[in-house]
Amino acid sequence: MWNLVESQLQKVRKAMINMDRDLAREVVLKEKRVNAFELKIDRDCENIFALYCPVAIDLRFLLAALKINTNLERIGDIAEGIGRYVIENAGEFDHDIFEVTQLNQMFDEAINILSDTRNAFESEDTNLARSIFKRDEVLDNINMMAIDKVAECIKGNPEIIKDALYVLSIIRKLERVGDQTKNMAEEIIFYVEAKVLKHLNKS
């Protein structure tokens, strides 16, 4: 499921840059597979609870898996949403807005932290999981600066208003990818170290 969700983000980034609507449609259609994975993983976890009554680290693993499962499904929804923007846009995106808003950099970092979080989960590396909190700030900062930068673009060229609004919406979605990934990093630390970081200062 994790590999599929990463692939969805990579494909929708390529679709956005190249305005490849066929690739965007593929991302939208494959969202059904992400949803199917979520339902299967939920059922598998419920069966293990019912049959084995896990305790200690096994219980923490299952609880973390259930939450990570939900986070991954939401990232899949985000990729689908960006894909729909590509399909709906009748023209070509203005690539100058991508540059000014750092959208490409944001996309790359979102994909990279999702991949590194998967590596942290597979290797039970809580140091790598903790590094995600700081890296998510890159996405937060780009998101915070986006409104002013988009406004500047529109002032200079009012004809790109529609593109600018699409780009702003994509930036908002990528910021949420960071939030979902950060939640997964918290669950990895909970699973491995039995420490609850939710609602705490991540520093």
Side-chain angles (χ1 to χ4, degrees), residues 14-25 86-87:
K14 186 176 179 181
M16 179 193 73
I17 291 172
N18 299 324
M19 283 308 293
D20 187 338
R21 293 179 182 83
D22 289 336
L23 186 58
R25 289 186 187 96
V86 174
I87 294 167

Side-chain angles (χ1 to χ4, degrees), residues 70-131:
T70 300
N71 294 134
L72 286 173
E73 192 278 330
R74 288 175 180 165
I75 295 173
D77 287 343
I78 289 167
E80 179 197 18
I82 297 172
R84 291 190 183 278
Y85 289 153
V86 174
I87 294 167
E88 291 167 5
N89 191 347
E92 302 284 327
F93 280 120
D94 186 311
H95 283 242
D96 289 340
I97 305 179
F98 291 178
E99 190 70 28
V100 169
T101 60
Q102 298 178 279
L103 179 58
N104 287 329
Q105 177 190 345
M106 191 180 196
F107 234 123
D108 288 340
E109 188 61 15
I111 292 168
N112 288 338
I113 65 173
L114 179 60
S115 177
D116 284 345
T117 307
R118 174 174 52 82
N119 291 334
F121 180 69
E122 291 174 344
S123 61
E124 299 181 349
D125 186 342
T126 54
N127 288 329
L128 182 56
R130 282 184 169 86
S131 74

